[in-house]
Amino acid sequence: MPNGNRSLNLFFSKNNFLGSFNDIYKIPNADLPECCFVGRSNVGKSSIINAITKTKKLAKISKTPGRTQSANLFEINKTVNIVDLPGYGYARVSKNTREQLSNLIESYISNRDNLIKIFILIDCKVGIKNSDIDIFDFVASSNKNFSIVLTKIDKCSTDFIKKQMGSIVTLMKNYKKNFMDIFASSSKKNNGILDIQKDIFNLSKHYEI
Ligand code: GDP
């Protein structure tokens, strides 16, 4: 385990973009442990990937037109992969596009064997929506482990954050087998980022192909 914040930042700053994929079977690097980030559009996914990797480069790639609806693969320190999945729950895209996006997300989650942790992002102020429940259900039925990242906590009072965490933890009783952890985060204030970095770093330790 690197010793503290600085070493972790160094670990995460050694990153490479390996490509955008619409066909999940074409995603390379299947021999490394992998985590992915998924959440409703505007949940703060790009900002948190920036905060974790201490670079604006990775999330900028994911925001490039043509790449927002693909799975974007980043390799960290030649040790662990981060996959940025398309946002779901868009109000403005067509039914057809919505279906394509959820097909990509679902086929990735159920078929990617080296995927060992899914971070599902929830905006603290917005809370859990039906589309989030659909993802929890799908992830659980695929027998994958997930953690929840509450985002943008700087916009909420301490009391509200506590209540939101409490109600999510209660809901998670339905997902006992697959729910691992909940992180309260703010990319703006750098809250919770170190804990998420540690979690991702630790993925590499218990992984055998
Ligand atoms: P994405 O669409 O999920 O990738 O979300 P973005 O990272 O682009 O963020 C969406 C909006 O939320 C932007 O206006 C960000 O500036 C804002 N945002 C993201 N993270 C935070 C945060 O931690 N705190 C606050 N206050 N705003 C945030």
Side-chain angles (χ1 to χ4, degrees):
M1 174 65 171
N3 197 355
N5 206 338
R6 235 177 115 226
S7 325
L8 271 175
N9 285 344
L10 192 64
F11 176 86
F12 279 91
S13 67
K14 291 181 185 155
N15 54 62
N16 272 316
F17 170 61
L18 298 186
S20 297
F21 303 90
N22 293 314
D23 177 352
I24 70 113
Y25 294 104
K26 295 206 168 121
I27 305 179
N29 255 24
D31 53 338
L32 289 188
E34 186 163 291
C35 63
C36 70
F37 284 78
V38 65
R40 288 164 54 79
S41 52
N42 217 40
V43 70
K45 188 161 53 74
S46 302
S47 304
I48 211 152
I49 294 175
N50 281 342
I52 289 166
T53 56
K54 302 295 168 202
T55 162
K56 293 205 184 318
K57 191 180 66 184
L58 301 199
K60 203 171 169 192
I61 287 167
S62 303
K63 290 267 177 191
T64 310
R67 288 186 170 144
T68 51
Q69 298 184 0
S70 324
N72 295 300
L73 172 66
F74 306 103
E75 180 194 70
I76 310 294
N77 205 29
K78 299 197 188 314
T79 310
V80 61
N81 297 332
I82 292 181
V83 168
D84 180 18
L85 290 174
Y88 55 80
Y90 283 97
R92 269 177 285 143
V93 301
S94 69
K95 193 167 172 252
N96 209 0
T97 309
R98 237 185 347 251
E99 271 167 17
Q100 274 171 15
L101 288 181
S102 69
N103 284 344
L104 174 74
I105 293 170
E106 291 184 1
S107 115
Y108 166 78
I109 289 173
S110 51
N111 294 304
R112 184 77 168 164
D113 290 338
N114 57 324
L115 172 65
I116 51 176
K117 175 58 105 36
I118 298 167
F119 292 99
I120 303 176
L121 276 49
I122 304 288
D123 187 322
C124 186
K125 204 166 167 185
V126 176
I128 287 174
K129 298 286 185 189
N130 285 343
S131 50
D132 300 314
I133 306 259
D134 289 344
I135 290 281
F136 300 149
D137 288 346
F138 187 81
V139 168
S141 72
S142 306
N143 217 8
K144 296 278 187 183
N145 291 337
F146 70 97
S147 287
I148 289 182
V149 179
L150 262 191
T151 61
K152 312 188 196 179
I153 59 163
D154 59 284
K155 288 170 92 175
C156 303
S157 69
T158 313
D159 248 18
F160 186 83
I161 298 166
K162 248 192 215 159
K163 276 188 198 140
Q164 193 66 282
M165 299 259 283
S167 71
I168 292 175
V169 168
T170 304
L171 177 70
M172 287 304 122
K173 289 187 177 142
N174 298 326
Y175 302 95
K176 267 194 194 125
K177 222 174 126 225
N178 306 88
F179 170 67
M180 309 297 285
D181 221 335
I182 181 163
F183 299 94
S185 79
S186 163
S187 309
K188 201 171 170 185
K189 299 273 160 82
N190 210 37
N191 298 124
I193 303 301
L194 182 59
D195 289 332
I196 301 169
Q197 286 180 321
K198 283 182 186 163
D199 205 49
I200 296 174
F201 177 82
N202 283 333
L203 293 180
S204 55
K205 283 205 221 153
H206 307 285
Y207 185 71
E208 279 175 47
I209 304 166

